[in-house]
Amino acid sequence: MLTQLLDKLGESNPQLFRELKGRLNRRSVVSVSFISAIIQCIMVGVLSKENCIAWSEDTGGYCQQYEMVIQWEFVCHSLSFILPFLLFAGGVYLLSSNLVKEQRRGTLNFLRLSPRTSQNILLGKLLGVPVLLYLGVGFAIPLHLMGAIAAGVPFAWVFGFYSVIAALGTFLYMASLLNTLFVAKGQYQPIVSSVLAGWLGYSFVSFVLYYFSWDDSQFKWLGFEWFFWEDLGKNYPLGFSWLLISLLVGSYWIWQGLNRQFKNPLGTLLSKAQSYGVVASLQVWILGFFYPVMNQAQIEETLMPMMFGISILTLGLFLLIIPAISPQRQTLLDWARYAHEDRGQGGKRSYSKWLDWIGGEKSPSVVAIAINLGIVAAIWMPWILLCQVSFPTPLTAGVALLMTLNLIWIYGAIAQSLSFIKFPKPGLLSMGMVMAALILPPLVFGLFSQTVSVNTTLWMLFVFGSPWLALAEASAMAIFVSLLGQLAAIATLTLTLNHQIHKAGASHSKLLFAPNPKQIAPKV
């Protein structure tokens, strides 16, 4: 029976079968079981106390008989922290170090050449590499369940807790693999990822135990809202469902990027169509937190700074999206030649040029960035204009959002334009220039504002987020000049990018169609 089961497993997922076969030997299983049992015994002993059940009848008597009582609530609470910490920190370290070794030995490319799908290989890694850790944590679950039952914790709460811990573990495991493949491939990357995952896991468990209490008599004042769902912290079934859905959606998008990066390391991390879904889902998720706050009439003075904070979160999202959908230099050069040459009858393109800019894998990302920014505007603009708290004018709020999104597009266009420059690491150059465009203007204006009067127009034109803080007091002329300056910068960058594309396509075409001197017969 076991042999047949292993044969089926080997046929359905050979990678998982190899990982399990290499790790699940008798010595490893016995060692993990013994260590898990010893740790559980020590924990029970430490968290037990002595109660006296019989006293001597002498004056000033002493205890004649003791009874050991296990403090099950402390056992449950301690294991609720320890088990997730081990699962997150240990699992991330094992997966990251395994992938780094595969890259160093060169065996990762052999896995890519396997006839199996990338999903099948990655699933085998996720389930097989930390299998001994899964086994050790699984041996401690019965003790955790006993502690929860003895402490009066509802079984529904325990099931919800296990579900969100499994979802967060999946999220962190996929993120660590993606980070190893796409960003960090150094020797110390597994240690750094493990420490970060342990800290995130500890913070998450603290958040869950603090906000999602099973005891209705505790933490009556705690709770938060998401859109129309009120008091998520007081209704743990609803709160756990919200956490689970959020983590599963995040894991889905990470899985898409991980799958693409594993199949094609030289391609983009996300397709342009996938980036639209990522931006839309994250913006709706962020809006859910701020929507209840935006409809409180007592925060009129803090609403514009709150929108500034939302703009910072949106900028952080786009700083990840821009490199994720921007092709590499050689891909852009090949695309420029292809776009220049692929023409049908009558000199017209044989396919829609705009469709290629919107969803093509090799085209520049500026149009996709503009569409993503349009998605942000479509999500936030109705709530801003219909907000119960009055801005100075609805038009002012719309202009502030427009100027903020314009600056993000400018940063994306700068990064894409620099990708055409021949440089050892063009991606590093592009992001370095974007960070310089973000950081230098406020530093320079802050320095010169001590001696020279710096115009509000310059702040709104160059400093990200400043429209939310300065637009309410700015004059109509300053707003007009700032917006006009941004549009001029957008037009300049667009023309520059078009010139780079035509130049790259023309130069490649000349090299391709130039006559070969060796094929020309010498003149006699």
Side-chain angles (χ1 to χ4, degrees):
M1 183 66 180
L2 181 60
T3 304
Q4 294 178 356
L5 182 62
L6 292 177
D7 290 339
K8 291 182 179 179
L9 179 62
E11 293 175 0
S12 61
N13 196 321
Q15 183 63 37
L16 176 58
F17 178 76
R18 286 193 294 268
E19 298 293 348
L20 296 179
K21 185 178 179 181
R23 288 170 172 80
L24 289 180
N25 53 69
R26 180 176 300 178
R27 182 178 179 181
S28 299
V29 173
V30 171
S31 299
V32 169
S33 304
F34 178 75
I35 293 173
S36 179
I38 291 297
I39 293 176
Q40 293 179 60
C41 292
I42 293 175
M43 179 176 296
V44 171
V46 170
L47 297 177
S48 300
K49 64 178 181 178
E50 296 180 346
N51 286 344
C52 183
I53 59 175
W55 293 86
S56 65
E57 298 179 357
D58 301 338
T59 304
Y62 57 90
C63 184
Q64 292 181 332
Q65 187 176 359
Y66 293 95
E67 179 187 24
M68 295 297 296
V69 178
I70 301 175
Q71 303 180 80
W72 289 110
E73 185 174 357
F74 289 102
V75 171
C76 177
H77 193 269
S78 301
L79 288 176
S80 297
F81 278 98
I82 295 174
L83 295 182
F85 178 83
L86 293 176
L87 195 64
F88 299 150
V92 166
Y93 177 80
L94 292 173
L95 287 167
S96 299
S97 61
N98 177 266
L99 207 57
V100 169
K101 290 179 182 178
E102 296 269 19
Q103 291 173 332
R104 188 182 301 119
R105 296 171 181 172
T107 56
L108 192 61
N109 291 328
F110 287 102
L111 292 178
R112 290 191 173 104
L113 296 175
S114 171
R116 293 287 175 175
T117 62
S118 56
Q119 295 94 331
N120 188 275
I121 296 173
L122 291 171
L123 185 62
K125 287 285 186 183
L126 290 169
L127 296 178
V129 173
V131 64
L132 291 176
L133 181 63
Y134 297 155
L135 194 63
V137 172
F139 285 147
I141 288 180
L143 180 62
H144 184 262
L145 287 174
M146 290 174 59
I149 295 173
V153 181
F155 183 77
W157 189 95
V158 177
F159 177 77
F161 180 75
Y162 287 165
S163 299
V164 296
I165 291 298
L168 180 60
T170 304
F171 179 90
L172 293 177
Y173 287 178
M174 292 182 183
S176 66
L177 290 178
L178 182 60
N179 179 59
T180 305
L181 288 174
F182 187 70
V183 182
K185 303 177 182 180
Q187 181 179 1
Y188 300 102
Q189 187 269 337
I191 299 177
V192 176
S193 299
S194 176
V195 172
L196 181 60
W199 175 74
L200 290 175
Y202 180 85
S203 302
F204 179 81
V205 173
S206 300
F207 168 79
V208 170
L209 295 179
Y210 191 67
Y211 278 93
F212 299 93
S213 174
W214 63 84
D215 189 356
D216 294 336
S217 64
Q218 297 180 2
F219 312 129
K220 281 290 186 181
W221 57 275
L222 294 177
F224 58 92
E225 299 179 11
W226 192 77
F227 279 117
F228 307 103
W229 289 3
E230 298 181 356
D231 299 331
L232 287 177
K234 300 176 184 177
N235 188 350
Y236 66 81
L238 186 61
F240 279 141
S241 300
W242 174 80
L243 284 176
L244 186 62
I245 294 173
S246 300
L247 290 170
L248 290 178
V249 172
S251 299
Y252 171 79
W253 291 121
I254 291 179
W255 178 255
Q256 299 302 314
L258 178 60
N259 182 46
R260 288 175 58 87
Q261 186 64 22
F262 186 83
K263 289 192 298 185
N264 184 14
L266 299 179
T268 57
L269 183 62
L270 293 173
S271 68
K272 294 181 174 64
Q274 289 172 343
S275 71
Y276 306 148
V278 172
V279 170
S281 58
L282 283 177
Q283 289 298 311
V284 170
W285 190 76
I286 295 173
L287 176 62
F289 289 103
F290 288 94
Y291 170 75
V293 182
M294 293 171 66
N295 287 275
Q296 295 178 7
Q298 64 269 22
I299 62 162
E300 292 186 3
E301 297 180 357
T302 61
L303 188 55
M304 294 292 269
M306 184 190 71
M307 294 304 302
F308 170 75
I310 295 173
S311 300
I312 296 296
L313 293 176
T314 303
L315 174 64
L317 170 63
F318 275 87
L319 289 179
L320 298 176
I321 291 293
I322 290 172
I325 64 175
S326 298
Q328 298 182 8
R329 179 177 181 272
Q330 188 58 48
T331 303
L332 290 172
L333 294 178
D334 294 341
W335 177 86
R337 180 180 61 182
Y338 175 77
H340 183 270
E341 296 171 3
D342 186 20
R343 296 180 180 274
Q345 298 179 354
K348 296 182 180 180
R349 295 292 296 273
S350 58
Y351 63 96
S352 176
K353 181 179 179 180
W354 283 108
L355 289 179
D356 193 18
W357 282 87
I358 293 172
E361 294 285 338
K362 300 179 180 180
S363 60
S365 60
V366 287
V367 174
I369 295 172
I371 293 175
N372 280 314
L373 293 173
I375 293 173
V376 175
I379 291 174
W380 283 98
M381 189 65 74
W383 300 105
I384 292 175
L385 298 180
L386 299 176
C387 182
Q388 295 180 6
V389 181
S390 59
F391 287 92
T393 62
L395 181 61
T396 303
V399 171
L401 181 61
L402 177 63
M403 295 178 70
T404 301
L405 299 181
N406 283 343
L407 280 175
I408 295 179
W409 189 92
I410 290 172
Y411 300 147
I414 291 174
Q416 189 66 92
S417 297
L418 293 174
S419 299
F420 282 93
I421 299 177
K422 191 174 182 179
F423 192 75
K425 293 183 178 180
L428 184 62
L429 174 65
S430 300
M431 296 312 297
M433 292 301 296
V434 170
M435 296 307 298
L438 270 169
I439 297 174
L440 289 181
L443 291 179
V444 172
F445 292 164
L447 179 63
F448 283 95
S449 63
Q450 304 296 330
T451 56
V452 182
S453 177
V454 179
N455 197 336
T456 305
T457 305
L458 296 178
W459 277 90
M460 293 189 297
L461 180 59
F462 293 105
V463 179
F464 180 82
S466 58
W468 293 110
L469 304 178
L471 200 62
E473 300 178 358
S475 63
M477 181 57 67
I479 297 173
F480 176 76
V481 172
S482 299
L483 188 58
L484 187 63
Q486 288 185 346
L487 296 178
I490 291 174
T492 303
L493 288 170
T494 302
L495 293 175
T496 302
L497 186 60
N498 285 332
H499 175 71
Q500 289 176 318
I501 293 173
H502 288 298
K503 182 179 179 181
S507 61
H508 279 74
S509 298
K510 290 179 181 178
L511 291 175
L512 184 64
F513 294 106
N516 190 348
K518 295 182 180 180
Q519 298 177 354
I520 301 176
K523 294 182 179 181
V524 180

